[in-house]
């Protein structure tokens, strides 16, 4: 989505000035590579999900777009299929995508730039195609409301074992994790209830084994042990410096995390999972000290980076003003 773009765009470049004072942003221990999205139609990639049916392929979408998603080859960055879906209304703000163990793709039309204007949002689901080619398929639409009222959100996660849907709200000073019904219903309203506190979130992803949950923001990411449907101990996750940091997914084998951003020909960067065994185990780029902030509301590394970036922005602004006065 486009809110805070004036901050994140400038901060992405200026954060490079702070790199000497901050720990390395990317730890790619297994030598894997990310990719650059080549499709000119994809200018606002807001969600990212590894395909279950087609290894090495990733699903993405624009936030403000018609009802369609794109399958992107993780080696070349080229689109290998465009899926248009019918049977739904006009999308408002598609912000997230996740692939369930039921063989279906779930798209979260859950963004709300007005921070509570919409009294309901939607989740769409469609079968993941067996063959990658351009196609039009019929989707199922689910109406969603939150138990404690409307809110903005950009993260939809489908648990790989239980199939349950979770949404993380996007609030600057800390939001909530919401749990959906055991099974989404296409009729009536699906009420999502708060089950935990989370930091500022722009996307999230479960590990393939369902034992870890990673939530990212513009400047940082946090991982959580996942047990019995609830957030466990949290830990810091290293993230790359990106322009407008919007998406995250585990690779299908759980050996790495991929972080994406908006913009034309945007880069999707790979971060090896620490302790990953290719079976979905291990922590995504976790800090070596296992730093934890309890409920994860404050990410000290991300907060420090943000402060350094904004400080550099302020200095740049003052410098420009001084030059203009001469």
């Amino acid at each position: 989505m486009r809110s805070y773009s004036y901050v994140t765009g400038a901060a992405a470049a200026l954060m490079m000035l702070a790199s000497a004072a901050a720990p390395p942003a990317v730890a790619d221990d297994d030598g894997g590579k990310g990719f650059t999205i080549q499709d000119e139609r994809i200018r606002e990639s807001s969600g990212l999900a590894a395909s279950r049916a087609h290894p090495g392929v990733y699903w993405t979408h624009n936030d403000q777009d018609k009802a369609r998603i794109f399958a992107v080859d993780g080696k070349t960055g080229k689109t290998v299929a465009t899926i248009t879906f019918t049977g739904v209304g006009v999308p408002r703000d598609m912000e997230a995508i996740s692939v369930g163990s039921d063989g279906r793709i779930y798209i979260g039309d859950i963004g709300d730039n007005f921070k509570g204007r919409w009294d309901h949002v939607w989740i769409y689901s469609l079968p993941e195609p067996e063959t990658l080619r351009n196609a039009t398929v019929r989707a199922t639409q689910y109406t969603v409301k939150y138990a404690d009222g409307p809110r903005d959100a950009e993260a939809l996660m489908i648990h790989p074992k239980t199939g349950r849907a979770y949404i993380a709200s996007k609030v600057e000073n800390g939001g909530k994790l919401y749990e959906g019904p055991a099974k989404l219903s296409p009729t009536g309203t699906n009420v999502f209830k708060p089950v935990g506190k989370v930091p500022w979130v722009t996307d999230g992803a479960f590990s393939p084994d369902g034992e870890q949950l990673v939530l990212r923001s513009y400047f940082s990411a946090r991982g959580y042990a996942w047990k019995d449907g609830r957030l466990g101990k949290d830990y810091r996750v290293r993230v790359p410096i990106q322009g407008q940091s919007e998406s995250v997914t585990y690779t299908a084998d759980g050996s790495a995390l991929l972080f994406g951003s908006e913009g034309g020909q945007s880069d999707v960067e790979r971060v090896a999972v620490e302790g990953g065994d290719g079976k979905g185990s291990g922590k995504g780029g976790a800090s070596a000290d296992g730093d934890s902030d309890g409920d994860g509301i404050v990410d000290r590394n991300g907060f420090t980076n943000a402060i350094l970036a904004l400080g550099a922005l302020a200095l740049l602004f003052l410098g420009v003003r001084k030059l203009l006065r001469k």
Side-chain angles (χ1 to χ4, degrees):
M1 55 89 68
R2 287 183 284 271
S3 65
Y4 297 95
S5 59
Y6 67 98
V7 174
T8 57
L14 292 167
M15 280 175 70
M16 297 300 293
L17 300 175
S19 60
V26 182
D28 199 352
D29 300 328
D30 62 0
K33 296 180 180 180
F35 58 92
T36 299
I37 295 175
Q38 302 295 326
D39 196 326
E40 293 183 354
R41 296 172 299 172
I42 307 173
R43 303 194 64 83
E44 295 179 317
S45 176
S46 291
L48 195 67
S51 169
R52 283 176 169 264
H54 308 283
V57 169
Y58 296 88
W59 295 100
T60 190
H61 57 87
N62 293 307
D63 54 9
Q64 307 289 334
D65 201 355
K66 63 182 72 174
R68 64 180 178 179
I69 58 176
F70 306 89
V72 178
D73 187 330
K75 291 183 178 179
T76 65
K78 295 181 179 180
T79 297
V80 292
T82 301
I83 306 299
T84 301
F85 50 96
T86 63
V88 305
V90 178
R92 285 191 300 225
D93 193 357
M94 298 183 294
E95 291 287 355
I97 190 167
S98 185
V99 180
S101 58
D102 58 357
R104 297 182 70 85
I105 301 169
Y106 292 80
I107 303 106
D109 190 356
I110 56 178
D112 187 344
N113 292 338
F114 303 96
K115 300 185 183 301
R117 177 174 179 177
W118 312 121
D119 66 353
H120 69 278
V121 291
W122 300 297
I123 294 173
Y124 313 124
S125 78
L126 57 147
E128 185 168 21
E130 295 181 2
T131 303
L132 290 174
R133 62 173 182 267
N134 295 342
T136 298
V137 302
R138 187 168 184 82
T140 301
Q141 178 170 300
Y142 305 99
T143 298
V144 170
K145 288 189 175 184
Y146 303 99
D148 51 0
R151 58 210 56 249
D152 188 21
E154 295 190 9
L156 167 70
M157 296 76 63
I158 306 297
H159 193 271
K161 301 300 182 182
T162 67
R164 199 160 199 155
Y166 295 85
I167 294 175
S169 64
K170 182 186 179 186
V171 181
E172 288 85 343
N173 60 352
K176 297 177 183 178
L177 180 69
Y178 291 84
E179 179 185 73
K183 185 176 182 180
L184 294 174
S185 172
T187 60
T189 300
N190 296 275
V191 178
F192 279 59
K193 301 177 181 179
V195 293
K197 295 180 180 180
V198 295
W200 188 10
V201 177
T202 60
D203 200 14
F206 281 110
S207 59
D209 61 7
E211 295 182 2
Q212 308 292 326
L213 173 64
V214 168
L215 300 174
R216 81 163 302 174
S217 69
Y218 289 131
F219 301 110
S220 61
R222 205 94 195 150
Y224 300 83
W226 186 262
K227 186 176 182 180
D228 300 326
R230 294 295 180 267
L231 296 169
K233 184 177 180 180
D234 65 316
Y235 52 91
R236 187 171 58 212
V237 174
R238 297 191 182 99
V239 296
I241 297 173
Q242 295 176 308
Q244 185 152 341
S245 309
E246 286 284 330
S247 59
V248 63
T249 185
Y250 275 87
T251 56
D253 65 359
S255 64
L257 286 160
L258 291 178
F259 293 90
S261 63
E262 288 192 359
Q265 291 193 317
S266 60
D267 291 327
V268 176
E269 301 191 44
R270 180 185 178 104
V271 176
V273 167
E274 186 174 294
D277 57 6
K279 299 179 181 179
S281 302
K283 297 179 179 179
S287 63
D289 59 8
D291 174 56
S292 174
D293 291 326
D295 61 10
I297 289 300
V298 179
D299 181 341
R300 289 188 289 272
N301 183 46
F303 182 75
T304 300
N305 285 347
I307 292 299
L308 289 169
L310 293 175
L313 180 61
L315 289 172
L316 179 62
F317 175 74
L318 291 174
V320 170
R321 286 189 64 186
K322 185 175 181 180
L323 288 172
L324 292 174
R325 288 175 178 175
K326 290 183 177 181

